[in-house]
Amino acid sequence: MPKHPKAPLILCHLPYFAWPHDERLAFQVGLRTMSKSVVTIFTWALVTGLAMGKSTLTLWQAVSMSLLVFAGTAQLAALPLIALGLPVWTILITAFVVNLRFVIFSIGMQAHFYSLPLWRRATLGYFTADFGYLMYTSRYPEAHPPEESPATRRSRIAFMYGLTCGNWSIWQMGSLLGIALAGQIPQSWGLEFAGTLALIAIIVPMLDRAAARWAAGVAALVAVLSMGLPFKLNIVLAIVAAIVVGIVSDRRPKDPLTKPVSAGD
């Protein structure tokens, strides 16, 4: 018997419609939570799409990059290297270094989702971005509280699905729109500055403790002082410096950033 009697029969075989009521509710809460950041995500995605559309990539290469890579900073870091015709290994290493934070995210999320099959963990890995990680760990700082029931555990997974689906959808809408409008919007509009402001809006809430602020400060300083390096290696150097400073200075437990989000959020 369908668990969602109002849905057409064919839809009842899709994951969402086959879930129990509590899990569908948790998925919707995840979507609503992510929707609070729609302006920031959409703006940054739009700028990234414009950059891809104005680059040396063809239309379908840009669309494929948006759908397959789904990592704005890595995409923007790779574009000038592609335009210069640098070797693929250089582009891959740059993208890897720029996205090193996702390794840390994965380590943090592993305890929450280790019981899922590999393909579901891999799917979550693709869909999880900065906002999804931050919002999930803010709501569920502890992986598996002893008192947690199996139903609650499934609901938190559904909440994560809601976050990631919302993030991915907003991002792709902005990115694909940017690619489509790239030929119509002149450089003089200065949308890159809007993208920078959007990034600042993303980063500032993450600087919730001293270690993060030290890492950000050192990264900014190193990036500026090493601007003369070729191939934008100053960015790579700044990231490495930020990781080292962040690890060394992070000697106390994380603050509750991170008060659990209320059930109505």
Side-chain angles (χ1 to χ4, degrees):
M1 180 178 178
K3 295 180 179 177
H4 195 292
K6 294 181 180 178
L9 185 59
I10 189 171
L11 295 181
C12 292
H13 296 286
L14 297 177
Y16 174 82
F17 294 99
W19 291 346
H21 175 72
D22 288 347
E23 291 177 41
R24 294 201 305 274
L25 208 58
F27 181 87
Q28 294 166 18
V29 173
L31 284 178
R32 287 202 299 275
T33 303
M34 184 57 70
S35 70
K36 296 175 182 175
S37 300
V38 63
V39 174
T40 301
I41 298 172
F42 187 86
T43 304
W44 182 232
L46 181 67
V47 172
T48 303
L50 288 171
M52 287 191 292
K54 290 180 179 295
S55 72
T56 55
L57 299 178
T58 66
L59 173 64
W60 291 112
Q61 285 173 336
V63 170
S64 299
M65 189 178 198
S66 177
L67 295 174
L68 297 177
V69 179
F70 184 41
T73 47
Q75 291 169 230
L76 291 178
L79 289 176
L81 306 183
I82 294 172
L84 289 172
L86 295 181
V88 173
W89 64 265
T90 306
I91 299 169
L92 292 177
I93 289 177
T94 302
F96 176 77
V97 172
V98 167
N99 279 339
L100 270 179
R101 68 189 186 283
F102 287 107
V103 177
I104 299 172
F105 290 176
S106 298
I107 294 171
M109 300 293 277
Q110 191 271 345
H112 292 263
F113 301 111
Y114 72 90
S115 60
L116 294 178
L118 177 60
W119 71 269
R120 289 180 67 182
R121 280 180 279 144
T123 304
L124 269 181
Y126 164 74
F127 281 102
T128 301
D130 302 75
F131 274 86
Y133 173 79
L134 182 64
M135 291 175 177
Y136 179 84
T137 53
S138 297
R139 188 181 181 90
Y140 298 110
E142 193 174 348
H144 293 295
E147 69 278 4
E148 186 178 57
S149 67
T152 305
R153 191 169 301 173
R154 288 194 297 271
S155 289
R156 72 157 63 194
I157 294 171
F159 173 74
M160 184 61 178
Y161 286 158
L163 289 176
T164 53
C165 285
N167 194 355
W168 186 89
S169 301
I170 297 167
W171 176 270
Q172 295 302 342
M173 283 190 286
S175 178
L176 296 177
L177 182 64
I179 294 171
L181 296 179
Q184 313 297 323
I185 297 180
Q187 294 283 4
S188 59
W189 285 20
L191 286 180
E192 292 83 357
F193 184 65
T196 303
L197 293 179
L199 268 186
I200 292 174
I202 293 172
I203 292 170
V204 169
M206 296 181 181
L207 306 181
D208 62 305
R209 51 184 173 161
R213 291 189 287 274
W214 273 109
V218 169
L221 184 64
V222 171
V224 172
L225 292 179
S226 57
M227 280 186 68
L229 293 176
F231 307 135
K232 295 187 181 294
L233 288 175
N234 62 318
I235 302 299
V236 176
L237 194 60
I239 293 169
V240 173
I243 292 173
V244 172
V245 170
I247 292 173
V248 171
S249 58
D250 189 17
R251 294 178 177 172
R252 66 183 177 82
K254 190 174 183 179
D255 299 336
L257 177 157
T258 87
K259 297 175 180 174
V261 180
S262 64
D265 289 340

mmCIF file of all heavy atoms in Angstrom, residues 2 14 26 28-29 32 34 40 54 68 72 108 125 130 134 161 168-169 178 180 185 197 202-203 221 230 255 257 260:
data_model
loop_
_atom_site.group_PDB
_atom_site.id
_atom_site.type_symbol
_atom_site.label_atom_id
_atom_site.label_comp_id
_atom_site.label_asym_id
_atom_site.label_seq_id
_atom_site.Cartn_x
_atom_site.Cartn_y
_atom_site.Cartn_z
ATOM 1 N N PRO A 2 0.622 2.245 -0.818
ATOM 2 C CA PRO A 2 1.450 3.443 -0.860
ATOM 3 C C PRO A 2 1.465 4.142 0.485
ATOM 4 O O PRO A 2 0.439 4.250 1.151
ATOM 5 C CB PRO A 2 0.759 4.304 -1.941
ATOM 6 C CG PRO A 2 -0.086 3.368 -2.720
ATOM 7 C CD PRO A 2 -0.475 2.282 -1.795
ATOM 8 N N LEU A 14 9.140 6.423 -5.902
ATOM 9 C CA LEU A 14 10.296 7.303 -5.733
ATOM 10 C C LEU A 14 10.602 7.447 -4.246
ATOM 11 O O LEU A 14 9.695 7.320 -3.399
ATOM 12 C CB LEU A 14 10.010 8.673 -6.358
ATOM 13 C CG LEU A 14 9.769 8.662 -7.866
ATOM 14 C CD1 LEU A 14 9.413 10.061 -8.367
ATOM 15 C CD2 LEU A 14 10.991 8.138 -8.602
ATOM 16 N N ALA A 26 10.902 15.762 7.772
ATOM 17 C CA ALA A 26 12.297 16.158 8.001
ATOM 18 C C ALA A 26 12.937 16.660 6.707
ATOM 19 O O ALA A 26 13.706 17.617 6.709
ATOM 20 C CB ALA A 26 13.084 14.964 8.553
ATOM 21 N N GLN A 28 11.372 18.162 4.275
ATOM 22 C CA GLN A 28 10.841 19.504 4.035
ATOM 23 C C GLN A 28 11.508 20.539 4.942
ATOM 24 O O GLN A 28 11.775 21.674 4.513
ATOM 25 C CB GLN A 28 9.328 19.499 4.262
ATOM 26 C CG GLN A 28 8.569 18.654 3.251
ATOM 27 C CD GLN A 28 7.139 18.390 3.683
ATOM 28 O OE1 GLN A 28 6.598 19.087 4.541
ATOM 29 N NE2 GLN A 28 6.513 17.374 3.110
ATOM 30 N N VAL A 29 11.787 20.151 6.192
ATOM 31 C CA VAL A 29 12.493 21.068 7.105
ATOM 32 C C VAL A 29 13.884 21.374 6.553
ATOM 33 O O VAL A 29 14.361 22.513 6.614
ATOM 34 C CB VAL A 29 12.589 20.452 8.521
ATOM 35 C CG1 VAL A 29 13.475 21.315 9.413
ATOM 36 C CG2 VAL A 29 11.204 20.329 9.136
ATOM 37 N N ARG A 32 13.485 23.924 3.807
ATOM 38 C CA ARG A 32 13.188 25.259 4.343
ATOM 39 C C ARG A 32 14.425 25.879 4.980
ATOM 40 O O ARG A 32 14.681 27.076 4.856
ATOM 41 C CB ARG A 32 12.052 25.180 5.358
ATOM 42 C CG ARG A 32 10.673 24.947 4.757
ATOM 43 C CD ARG A 32 9.582 25.402 5.710
ATOM 44 N NE ARG A 32 9.622 24.685 6.961
ATOM 45 C CZ ARG A 32 9.034 23.499 7.173
ATOM 46 N NH1 ARG A 32 8.384 22.919 6.198
ATOM 47 N NH2 ARG A 32 9.112 22.915 8.338
ATOM 48 N N MET A 34 17.566 25.332 4.166
ATOM 49 C CA MET A 34 18.476 25.766 3.105
ATOM 50 C C MET A 34 17.946 26.996 2.378
ATOM 51 O O MET A 34 18.722 27.834 1.901
ATOM 52 C CB MET A 34 18.693 24.617 2.125
ATOM 53 C CG MET A 34 19.705 24.895 1.022
ATOM 54 S SD MET A 34 21.348 25.361 1.650
ATOM 55 C CE MET A 34 21.889 23.792 2.352
ATOM 56 N N THR A 40 22.300 34.179 -1.174
ATOM 57 C CA THR A 40 23.764 34.029 -1.203
ATOM 58 C C THR A 40 24.188 32.937 -2.190
ATOM 59 O O THR A 40 25.071 33.141 -3.025
ATOM 60 C CB THR A 40 24.282 33.672 0.202
ATOM 61 O OG1 THR A 40 23.909 34.710 1.095
ATOM 62 C CG2 THR A 40 25.787 33.514 0.194
ATOM 63 N N LYS A 54 31.689 33.036 -20.028
ATOM 64 C CA LYS A 54 32.596 33.979 -20.698
ATOM 65 C C LYS A 54 33.986 33.383 -20.904
ATOM 66 O O LYS A 54 34.873 34.037 -21.433
ATOM 67 C CB LYS A 54 32.716 35.259 -19.849
ATOM 68 C CG LYS A 54 31.446 36.113 -19.828
ATOM 69 C CD LYS A 54 31.635 37.347 -18.973
ATOM 70 C CE LYS A 54 30.376 38.217 -18.978
ATOM 71 N NZ LYS A 54 30.090 38.774 -20.312
ATOM 72 N N LEU A 68 28.569 18.389 -13.219
ATOM 73 C CA LEU A 68 29.433 17.309 -12.749
ATOM 74 C C LEU A 68 30.361 17.732 -11.619
ATOM 75 O O LEU A 68 30.631 16.958 -10.698
ATOM 76 C CB LEU A 68 30.269 16.760 -13.918
ATOM 77 C CG LEU A 68 29.458 16.120 -15.056
ATOM 78 C CD1 LEU A 68 30.373 15.691 -16.188
ATOM 79 C CD2 LEU A 68 28.666 14.918 -14.540
ATOM 80 N N GLY A 72 32.005 25.575 -6.716
ATOM 81 C CA GLY A 72 32.251 26.896 -7.299
ATOM 82 C C GLY A 72 33.698 27.345 -7.235
ATOM 83 O O GLY A 72 34.255 27.825 -8.230
ATOM 84 N N GLY A 108 34.257 14.640 9.252
ATOM 85 C CA GLY A 108 33.258 15.026 10.235
ATOM 86 C C GLY A 108 31.924 14.339 10.025
ATOM 87 O O GLY A 108 31.215 14.020 10.984
ATOM 88 N N GLY A 125 28.105 12.524 -0.709
ATOM 89 C CA GLY A 125 29.372 13.218 -0.894
ATOM 90 C C GLY A 125 29.339 14.183 -2.066
ATOM 91 O O GLY A 125 29.867 15.290 -1.996
ATOM 92 N N ASP A 130 29.300 23.416 1.263
ATOM 93 C CA ASP A 130 29.593 24.119 2.511
ATOM 94 C C ASP A 130 28.337 24.347 3.358
ATOM 95 O O ASP A 130 28.318 24.076 4.552
ATOM 96 C CB ASP A 130 30.254 25.470 2.199
ATOM 97 C CG ASP A 130 31.511 25.302 1.390
ATOM 98 O OD1 ASP A 130 31.400 25.025 0.179
ATOM 99 O OD2 ASP A 130 32.615 25.447 1.949
ATOM 100 N N LEU A 134 27.505 22.809 7.127
ATOM 101 C CA LEU A 134 27.375 23.722 8.264
ATOM 102 C C LEU A 134 26.000 23.602 8.914
ATOM 103 O O LEU A 134 25.875 23.519 10.139
ATOM 104 C CB LEU A 134 27.606 25.165 7.794
ATOM 105 C CG LEU A 134 27.552 26.236 8.872
ATOM 106 C CD1 LEU A 134 28.685 26.029 9.865
ATOM 107 C CD2 LEU A 134 27.637 27.629 8.268
ATOM 108 N N TYR A 161 19.144 15.065 3.315
ATOM 109 C CA TYR A 161 18.733 15.018 1.914
ATOM 110 C C TYR A 161 18.035 16.316 1.516
ATOM 111 O O TYR A 161 18.233 16.845 0.414
ATOM 112 C CB TYR A 161 17.789 13.836 1.671
ATOM 113 C CG TYR A 161 18.452 12.478 1.650
ATOM 114 C CD1 TYR A 161 17.724 11.325 1.890
ATOM 115 C CD2 TYR A 161 19.801 12.340 1.378
ATOM 116 C CE1 TYR A 161 18.319 10.073 1.865
ATOM 117 C CE2 TYR A 161 20.401 11.100 1.351
ATOM 118 C CZ TYR A 161 19.666 9.971 1.597
ATOM 119 O OH TYR A 161 20.262 8.741 1.572
ATOM 120 N N TRP A 168 21.751 22.014 -3.997
ATOM 121 C CA TRP A 168 22.091 21.661 -5.378
ATOM 122 C C TRP A 168 21.144 22.363 -6.368
ATOM 123 O O TRP A 168 21.584 22.892 -7.393
ATOM 124 C CB TRP A 168 22.009 20.148 -5.563
ATOM 125 C CG TRP A 168 22.483 19.662 -6.902
ATOM 126 C CD1 TRP A 168 23.767 19.317 -7.244
ATOM 127 C CD2 TRP A 168 21.691 19.464 -8.079
ATOM 128 N NE1 TRP A 168 23.810 18.912 -8.553
ATOM 129 C CE2 TRP A 168 22.559 18.999 -9.093
ATOM 130 C CE3 TRP A 168 20.345 19.631 -8.363
ATOM 131 C CZ2 TRP A 168 22.120 18.699 -10.376
ATOM 132 C CZ3 TRP A 168 19.894 19.338 -9.654
ATOM 133 C CH2 TRP A 168 20.776 18.875 -10.635
ATOM 134 N N SER A 169 19.861 22.381 -6.045
ATOM 135 C CA SER A 169 18.880 22.974 -6.962
ATOM 136 C C SER A 169 19.106 24.484 -7.110
ATOM 137 O O SER A 169 19.090 25.015 -8.220
ATOM 138 C CB SER A 169 17.455 22.709 -6.451
ATOM 139 O OG SER A 169 17.225 21.334 -6.337
ATOM 140 N N GLY A 178 23.467 31.818 -15.255
ATOM 141 C CA GLY A 178 24.665 32.608 -15.547
ATOM 142 C C GLY A 178 25.298 32.218 -16.872
ATOM 143 O O GLY A 178 25.719 33.074 -17.650
ATOM 144 N N ALA A 180 23.730 30.922 -19.401
ATOM 145 C CA ALA A 180 22.830 31.358 -20.474
ATOM 146 C C ALA A 180 22.931 32.862 -20.734
ATOM 147 O O ALA A 180 22.799 33.313 -21.874
ATOM 148 C CB ALA A 180 21.393 30.983 -20.120
ATOM 149 N N ILE A 185 25.392 39.943 -20.573
ATOM 150 C CA ILE A 185 25.747 40.846 -19.468
ATOM 151 C C ILE A 185 27.161 41.378 -19.664
ATOM 152 O O ILE A 185 28.121 40.604 -19.710
ATOM 153 C CB ILE A 185 25.643 40.108 -18.119
ATOM 154 C CG1 ILE A 185 24.194 39.680 -17.897
ATOM 155 C CG2 ILE A 185 26.120 40.985 -16.978
ATOM 156 C CD1 ILE A 185 23.962 38.943 -16.599
ATOM 157 N N LEU A 197 31.036 39.635 -2.472
ATOM 158 C CA LEU A 197 30.206 39.940 -1.307
ATOM 159 C C LEU A 197 29.437 38.702 -0.845
ATOM 160 O O LEU A 197 29.285 38.460 0.360
ATOM 161 C CB LEU A 197 29.213 41.065 -1.653
ATOM 162 C CG LEU A 197 29.819 42.442 -1.914
ATOM 163 C CD1 LEU A 197 28.723 43.442 -2.267
ATOM 164 C CD2 LEU A 197 30.593 42.928 -0.678
ATOM 165 N N ILE A 202 29.054 34.102 3.084
ATOM 166 C CA ILE A 202 29.166 32.676 3.400
ATOM 167 C C ILE A 202 30.210 32.449 4.492
ATOM 168 O O ILE A 202 29.994 31.693 5.437
ATOM 169 C CB ILE A 202 29.569 31.876 2.150
ATOM 170 C CG1 ILE A 202 28.442 31.912 1.106
ATOM 171 C CG2 ILE A 202 29.896 30.430 2.501
ATOM 172 C CD1 ILE A 202 28.831 31.305 -0.219
ATOM 173 N N ILE A 203 31.351 33.135 4.347
ATOM 174 C CA ILE A 203 32.495 32.820 5.190
ATOM 175 C C ILE A 203 32.350 33.364 6.606
ATOM 176 O O ILE A 203 32.675 32.682 7.582
ATOM 177 C CB ILE A 203 33.782 33.378 4.531
ATOM 178 C CG1 ILE A 203 34.071 32.607 3.244
ATOM 179 C CG2 ILE A 203 34.957 33.293 5.485
ATOM 180 C CD1 ILE A 203 35.170 33.219 2.411
ATOM 181 N N LEU A 221 46.538 37.134 4.571
ATOM 182 C CA LEU A 221 47.862 37.765 4.574
ATOM 183 C C LEU A 221 48.815 37.067 3.592
ATOM 184 O O LEU A 221 49.498 37.720 2.796
ATOM 185 C CB LEU A 221 48.436 37.721 5.994
ATOM 186 C CG LEU A 221 49.783 38.429 6.200
ATOM 187 C CD1 LEU A 221 49.635 39.929 5.940
ATOM 188 C CD2 LEU A 221 50.295 38.198 7.630
ATOM 189 N N PRO A 230 53.505 32.638 -9.879
ATOM 190 C CA PRO A 230 52.785 32.292 -11.115
ATOM 191 C C PRO A 230 51.655 31.305 -10.868
ATOM 192 O O PRO A 230 51.585 30.672 -9.813
ATOM 193 C CB PRO A 230 53.889 31.662 -11.982
ATOM 194 C CG PRO A 230 54.843 31.073 -10.992
ATOM 195 C CD PRO A 230 54.827 32.007 -9.805
ATOM 196 N N ASP A 255 32.898 25.625 20.086
ATOM 197 C CA ASP A 255 31.752 26.239 20.773
ATOM 198 C C ASP A 255 30.473 25.675 20.221
ATOM 199 O O ASP A 255 30.409 25.298 19.081
ATOM 200 C CB ASP A 255 31.706 27.747 20.501
ATOM 201 C CG ASP A 255 32.914 28.453 20.993
ATOM 202 O OD1 ASP A 255 33.558 27.961 21.893
ATOM 203 O OD2 ASP A 255 33.182 29.514 20.452
ATOM 204 N N LEU A 257 28.234 26.440 18.304
ATOM 205 C CA LEU A 257 28.005 27.352 17.129
ATOM 206 C C LEU A 257 26.563 27.542 16.968
ATOM 207 O O LEU A 257 26.103 27.676 16.108
ATOM 208 C CB LEU A 257 28.598 26.609 16.052
ATOM 209 C CG LEU A 257 28.607 27.002 14.700
ATOM 210 C CD1 LEU A 257 29.673 26.347 14.079
ATOM 211 C CD2 LEU A 257 28.062 27.010 13.663
ATOM 212 N N PRO A 260 21.448 23.892 18.455
ATOM 213 C CA PRO A 260 20.571 23.159 17.555
ATOM 214 C C PRO A 260 19.494 24.060 16.984
ATOM 215 O O PRO A 260 18.926 24.895 17.676
ATOM 216 C CB PRO A 260 19.967 22.072 18.448
ATOM 217 C CG PRO A 260 20.961 21.915 19.550
ATOM 218 C CD PRO A 260 21.581 23.242 19.750
#
